[in-house]
Amino acid sequence: MEEKREIKILGIESSCDETAAAVVVNGREVLSNIISSQIDIHTLYGGVVPEIASRKHIERVSQVVERALQTAQVTLDDIDAIGVTYGPGLIGPLLVGVSAAKAIAWAKDIPLIGVHHIEGHISANYIENKELEPPFGCLVVSGGHTHLVLVKDYGEYEILGKTCDDAAGEAFDKVARAIGLGYPGGPKIDKVSKEGNPIAIEFPQGKVRGSEYDFSFSGLKSAVLNYLNACHMKGEEISVPDVAASFQKSVVDVLVSHSMRAVSEYHFKKFAIAGGVASNSALRAAMEEACRKRGIRFYRPSPILCTDNAAMIGAAAYYDYRKGIRSDNSLNAIPNLKLGER
Ligand code: KG4
Ligand code: ZN
């Protein structure tokens, strides 16, 4: 039988506060990428409220899938497989996407593929860089994860380092809240930092003693809080742009230095970044410069493909599809799913 040349995958993502669906051809060409964000609702509470997120996903998932199909000008009869995030993430939100995907797969007899959320973030790099193939190094920095990963092959990963406490995005969100910028903190710190002095305040780097590749951001967060308290006690005025820029520099410096140590040790010729924090302008610029200096190729998705979306899930699912990996109707949401585990 002649092999079909165009594999169309419907991706579904609902692990946190974005309900998303996308249609992706052969893992690299995005026909539609619909994202319904709940940011406005969660902003009222200063962070994601899991119960509310689950309810909003239930209300929106069918419409988001329909819009993804319409925008791509396809119907479910054209879809070869459904890829859905089944972990890690918030259990309630994950269950909504998994249940929707299972229902469609069963009703239309379409193959189902459970996708790891981090694998999705990494795969976002394939979409705009048609020539990118493993092996390469990848720094995944999001609201829930900070992983330095060796991408050995499609679907094959070795974790070189990770955070021991807060994720990089979590640190951005917590510091933003402390300096009155609100939720989500990352984009707000990024913006206000442009008016600040990154060397105004010396904050500690998010390192772990004795570990080359692991990260720790809770000490940095405490250092910022202590600084704010000390200013308050002394009646000194706080420069929000300076605090933001100095904090951001501290995070970016450690992310770049760990990544470049891995580049040297593992002789990477290609290095990528992924996840919500990968849309940070200071991180993108510093990584680009560090990779340029070492003469290696640097990859980063467009900001819309860095934060949670379903095109990245469709991209990741394609490589599983090609390997013959399928999930059955017993697929369940796994909130603490490890990268590389099935
Ligand atoms: O990947 P993502 O959308 O969701 C998770 O999988 O966690 O990442 C969300 C995180 C949030 O913590 C948000 O503050 C952070 O990414 N973020 C940023 C920027 N845009 C989003 N952090 C720093 N700079 C940004 N421009
Ligand atoms: Zn994510």
Side-chain angles (χ1 to χ4, degrees):
M1 198 174 78
E2 199 185 317
E3 205 183 322
K4 210 173 154 192
R5 286 180 51 218
E6 280 210 338
I7 301 298
K8 290 194 182 74
I9 301 212
L10 170 66
I12 299 178
E13 155 65 39
S14 70
S15 64
C16 190
D17 59 347
E18 261 98 25
T19 320
V23 177
V24 181
V25 179
N26 291 350
R28 306 245 173 184
E29 190 195 341
V30 178
L31 300 187
S32 63
N33 187 21
I34 308 297
I35 304 165
S36 170
S37 174
Q38 305 175 3
I39 281 180
D40 290 353
I41 306 161
H42 299 293
T43 297
L44 302 173
Y45 304 94
V48 179
V49 183
E51 270 305 303
I52 297 177
S54 311
R55 281 165 192 270
K56 290 294 157 195
H57 285 305
I58 292 173
E59 285 170 20
R60 295 175 182 181
V61 68
S62 299
Q63 295 158 33
V64 167
V65 167
E66 257 169 50
R67 269 192 55 206
L69 295 168
Q70 273 167 13
T71 308
Q73 298 188 319
V74 298
T75 69
L76 284 174
D77 294 326
D78 304 308
I79 296 296
D80 297 283
I82 301 176
V84 63
T85 307
Y86 73 113
L90 300 169
I91 181 73
L94 283 169
L95 276 169
V96 178
V98 168
S99 307
K102 279 162 69 169
I104 301 169
W106 182 75
K108 298 294 290 182
D109 198 18
I110 304 172
L112 176 70
I113 300 166
V115 175
H116 192 290
H117 184 73
I118 301 286
E119 185 166 7
H121 274 304
I122 294 170
S123 304
N125 278 289
Y126 298 134
I127 293 169
E128 293 160 313
N129 302 295
K130 311 291 181 217
E131 78 291 356
L132 175 62
E133 304 227 28
F136 59 92
C138 187
L139 174 75
V140 189
V141 267
S142 72
H145 311 274
T146 304
H147 282 40
L148 190 51
V149 180
L150 161 56
V151 183
K152 294 176 169 172
D153 201 346
Y154 295 109
E156 274 185 46
Y157 308 96
E158 183 182 331
I159 299 171
L160 306 178
K162 57 181 173 7
T163 184
C164 300
D165 39 57
D166 290 352
E170 203 177 344
F172 269 93
D173 294 338
K174 286 177 177 168
V175 166
R177 197 179 310 151
I179 54 178
L181 293 177
Y183 173 85
K188 293 187 172 153
I189 288 194
D190 192 351
K191 190 160 172 235
V192 79
S193 291
K194 294 191 166 73
E195 284 133 45
N197 175 5
I199 53 166
I201 310 150
E202 204 178 315
F203 290 129
Q205 281 205 351
K207 284 185 181 168
V208 179
R209 208 175 296 151
S211 166
E212 278 184 313
Y213 296 124
D214 285 341
F215 304 93
S216 165
F217 294 107
S218 70
L220 168 60
K221 177 194 65 193
S222 302
V224 175
L225 295 180
N226 290 342
Y227 172 83
L228 296 174
N229 269 339
C231 289
H232 186 67
M233 304 282 272
K234 288 188 260 174
E236 285 174 6
E237 210 179 305
I238 292 158
S239 161
V240 169
D242 283 356
V243 175
S246 302
F247 159 77
Q248 181 175 269
K249 179 179 166 15
S250 184
V251 176
V252 168
D253 283 354
V254 75
L255 293 176
V256 173
S257 76
H258 278 32
S259 299
M260 291 307 119
R261 190 172 302 131
V263 163
S264 304
E265 188 176 331
Y266 289 85
H267 308 289
F268 292 136
K269 304 232 165 13
K270 299 170 248 178
F271 194 82
I273 56 174
V277 183
S279 59
N280 181 271
S281 56
L283 178 64
R284 291 164 90 87
M287 278 291 185
E288 178 144 36
E289 175 62 10
C291 289
R292 193 192 56 75
K293 270 194 197 151
R294 286 164 182 79
I296 66 162
R297 285 291 308 266
F298 172 60
Y299 297 89
R300 77 276 184 282
S302 290
I304 192 69
L305 293 172
C306 286
T307 42
D308 288 350
N309 66 87
M312 67 186 199
I313 303 304
Y318 171 71
Y319 294 98
D320 284 345
Y321 179 90
R322 279 205 344 198
K323 285 186 185 167
I325 295 172
R326 305 287 184 267
S327 305
D328 61 24
N329 229 7
S330 67
L331 182 71
N332 203 357
I334 305 181
N336 55 358
L337 186 67
K338 303 274 176 301
L339 186 63
E341 252 178 35
R342 281 228 147 251

